[in-house]
């Protein structure tokens, strides 16, 4: 049987894969695993969601499962995922639950759990929750039944937290903010205005069905147009649950997660706050970022793809900054997980403090052309053991030298091998990538 938890909680099409019954059972199983603390009296959980229509029935199922297991529940309402993580810690809850499918389309939804302190669950705890599905302790009765309440000030607590983390104000900056019709539609504009920015919003009218639809961090065209038409200094884009942040400079150019990480790394280094002068990234980060950090005297630690692996490495090494090209950025001095609002505020703080445009700051690194080819229908299990493929990669790496690199990676969910090549010239990257893709097809073809 396939593992229920993926790389970021349990996800699926709501009502078909992720049913009310599954949500109920998961919450009951989670209560058995995560509520086994030392609190006097009943354990406490917080529950938040993004504005998807399905979040309404899934929230009801999760709350019912928790309360019937003897857990007191504070409903946070519609809030970003990092807000739920923060409030899990801030309200001293035993654990937190977030209902969201992040950047996915409206029909999808997901359930993510946070341990005490707003920490992501390690694999072993997720495995324990799965093992407890459909069994375990009898339901609570009488005075042992959990009580349910609503946190009227949840959004305000989170807004204050992110605003107080910004080292300087943003007065004079005109910013277009794309909220992806998602969980940040109310809190993100308010946070920016409190630190002095002039804010123009798009994608801030969630109706339960339009989340991530033609907007947000995965579709930046609307933001680019809005930045140009309003003569804005910058644009900030979040995804549906606002754990991501990408940006658009005043000239309409995209500033991706690698560039944001480069800007923030230099800011923290200058302030003496970049722990061990080290940045944590994934293997997919552009080589240009690594070269720029080397020049600045900043070490770079690589992890597998996935923000959870970045976070694990940051905690293990006591590092303060890490993230992904996709815009998951972790500022560990201020958050226990990736936080798009926090990232956007600190990025704009750098623009304001430096008195330079975002496109100038983004030149901290030169993005090398990066070509990705997905080779489908091959036996990915043989990728690591194929001598033919290994020899081809060695030749390609020698050809590219210090100004390029090769990454061959098997997909975690499909019969597919990803071939990624970076080179100083895009034409050279395409040529090498196509050559390697042909080797993958011949060496791993069924």
């Amino acid at each position: 049987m396939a593992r229920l938890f993926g790389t970021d909680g349990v996800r699926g099409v709501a009502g078909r894969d992720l049913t009310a019954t599954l949500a109920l059972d998961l919450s009951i199983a989670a209560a058995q695993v995560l509520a086994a603390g030392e609190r006097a009296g009943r354990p406490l959980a917080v529950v938040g969601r993004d504005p998807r229509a399905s979040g309404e029935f899934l929230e009801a199922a999760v709350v019912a499962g928790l309360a019937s297991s003897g857990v007191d529940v504070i409903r946070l309402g519609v809030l970003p995922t990092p807000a739920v993580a923060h409030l899990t810690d801030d309200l001293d809850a035993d654990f937190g639950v977030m209902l969201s499918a992040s950047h996915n389309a409206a029909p999808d939804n997901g359930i993510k759990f946070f341990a005490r302190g707003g920490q992501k669950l390690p694999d072993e705890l997720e495995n324990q929750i799965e093992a407890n599905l459909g069994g375990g302790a009898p339901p609570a009765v009488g005075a042992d039944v959990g009580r349910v309440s609503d946190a009227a000030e949840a959004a305000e607590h989170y807004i204050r937290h992110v605003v107080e983390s910004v080292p300087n104000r943003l007065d004079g900056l005109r910013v277009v903010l794309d909220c992806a019709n998602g969980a940040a539609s109310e809190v993100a504009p308010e946070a920016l205005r409190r630190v002095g920015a002039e804010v123009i919003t798009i994608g801030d009218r969630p109706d339960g069905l339009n989340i991530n639809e033609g907007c947000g961090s995965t579709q930046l065209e609307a933001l680019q147009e809005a930045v140009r038409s309003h003569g804005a200094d910058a644009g900030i884009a979040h995804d549906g649950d606002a754990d991501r942040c990408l940006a658009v400079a005043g000239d309409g150019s995209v500033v991706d997660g690698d560039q944001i990480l480069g800007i923030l790394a230099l800011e923290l280094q200058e302030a003496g706050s970049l722990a061990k002068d080290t940045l944590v990234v994934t293997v997919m980060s552009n080589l240009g970022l690594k070269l720029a950090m080397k020049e600045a005297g900043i070490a770079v630690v690589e992890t597998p793809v996935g923000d959870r692996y970045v976070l694990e490495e940051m905690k293990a090494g006591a590092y303060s900054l890490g993230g992904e090209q996709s815009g998951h950025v972790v500022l560990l001095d201020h958050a226990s997980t990736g936080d798009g609002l926090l990232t956007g505020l600190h990025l704009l703080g750098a623009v304001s403090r430096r008195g330079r445009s975002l496109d100038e700051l983004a030149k901290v690194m030169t993005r090398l052309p990066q070509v990705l080819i997905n080779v489908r229908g091959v036996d990915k299990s043989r990728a690591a053991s194929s001598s033919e493929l290994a020899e081809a990669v060695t030749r390609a790496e020698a050809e590219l030298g210090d100004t390029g690199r090769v990454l061959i990676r098997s997909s975690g969910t499909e019969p597919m091998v990803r071939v990624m090549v970076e080179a100083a010239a895009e034409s050279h990257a395409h040529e090498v990538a196509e050559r390697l893709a042909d080797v993958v097809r011949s060496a791993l073809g069924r």
Side-chain angles (χ1 to χ4, degrees), residues 269-293:
Q269 183 191 44
E270 183 173 303
S273 301
L274 184 64
K276 301 182 181 179
D277 279 337
T278 297
L279 173 65
V280 181
V281 301
T282 76
V283 293
M284 289 300 290
S285 277
N286 195 279
L287 179 59
L289 173 61
K290 297 163 194 175
L291 295 174
M293 294 298 97

Side-chain angles (χ1 to χ4, degrees), residues 102-423:
S102 190
H103 58 282
N104 289 20
D108 291 348
N109 216 321
I111 302 179
K112 182 190 300 186
F113 296 98
F114 291 103
R116 177 175 283 279
Q119 306 297 319
K120 287 197 170 187
L121 299 191
D123 288 344
E124 54 267 27
L125 285 183
E126 291 181 341
N127 291 338
Q128 287 180 42
I129 293 172
E130 279 199 40
N132 281 0
L133 275 174
V141 296
D144 292 330
V145 170
R147 305 302 298 272
V148 181
S149 60
D150 295 305
E153 297 296 315
E156 177 60 25
H157 280 290
Y158 174 63
I159 291 170
R160 276 205 307 264
H161 162 66
V162 294
V163 165
E164 288 171 0
S165 77
V166 186
N168 55 277
R169 290 183 58 80
L170 308 182
D171 299 284
L173 285 185
R174 175 179 287 186
V175 180
V176 179
L177 179 64
D178 185 346
C179 301
N181 291 317
S185 295
E186 292 188 12
V187 294
E190 177 63 20
L192 279 171
R193 290 186 178 113
R194 286 196 192 180
V195 289
E198 177 190 347
V199 183
I200 299 154
T201 54
I202 63 174
D204 63 334
R205 296 290 186 271
D207 62 11
L209 302 174
N210 62 355
I211 190 169
N212 300 313
E213 189 176 272
C215 57
S217 61
T218 56
Q219 300 180 69
L220 293 170
E221 295 81 6
L223 180 59
Q224 290 175 295
E225 175 57 32
V227 167
R228 293 191 193 100
S229 64
H230 288 285
D233 296 291
I236 296 293
H238 300 303
D239 60 339
D241 69 338
D243 62 353
R244 293 189 190 192
C245 171
L246 292 182
V248 170
D251 62 358
S253 60
V254 172
V255 180
D256 70 10
D258 283 342
Q259 291 166 300
I260 292 171
L261 285 166
I263 293 169
L264 295 182
L266 293 183
E267 290 295 299
L268 293 175
Q269 183 191 44
E270 183 173 303
S273 301
L274 184 64
K276 301 182 181 179
D277 279 337
T278 297
L279 173 65
V280 181
V281 301
T282 76
V283 293
M284 289 300 290
S285 277
N286 195 279
L287 179 59
L289 173 61
K290 297 163 194 175
L291 295 174
M293 294 298 97
K294 181 179 180 181
E295 185 175 337
I298 295 173
V300 174
V301 174
E302 286 188 338
T303 76
V305 174
D307 65 314
R308 69 182 299 171
Y309 301 114
V310 171
L311 195 52
E312 286 172 5
E313 182 62 36
M314 291 178 69
K315 290 177 180 175
Y319 304 124
S320 56
L321 178 64
E324 297 187 283
Q325 193 178 70
S326 61
H328 280 118
V329 174
V330 182
L331 289 152
L332 207 52
D333 287 342
H334 305 291
S336 60
T337 187
D339 189 325
L341 271 70
L342 197 68
T343 301
L345 286 166
H346 282 254
L347 177 65
L348 294 170
V351 173
S352 179
R353 190 176 77 82
R354 296 281 183 181
R356 298 169 60 193
S357 66
L358 181 55
D359 63 291
E360 286 183 278
L361 292 185
K363 291 174 184 173
V364 60
M365 60 168 280
T366 300
R367 279 187 294 194
L368 295 184
Q370 191 177 74
V371 174
L372 177 66
I373 299 177
N374 293 323
V375 185
R376 301 179 183 276
V378 295
D379 184 359
K380 64 182 183 181
S381 66
R382 291 171 26 220
S385 60
S386 170
S387 58
E388 182 182 350
L389 182 56
E391 290 168 7
V393 168
T394 299
R395 289 194 299 270
E397 289 174 336
E399 179 182 333
L400 293 168
D402 293 335
T403 58
R405 68 180 181 126
V406 172
L407 178 65
I408 307 292
R409 188 169 68 90
S410 297
S411 168
T413 57
E414 300 178 75
M416 177 169 68
V417 172
R418 305 185 194 279
V419 176
M420 191 276 285
V421 174
E422 289 173 339

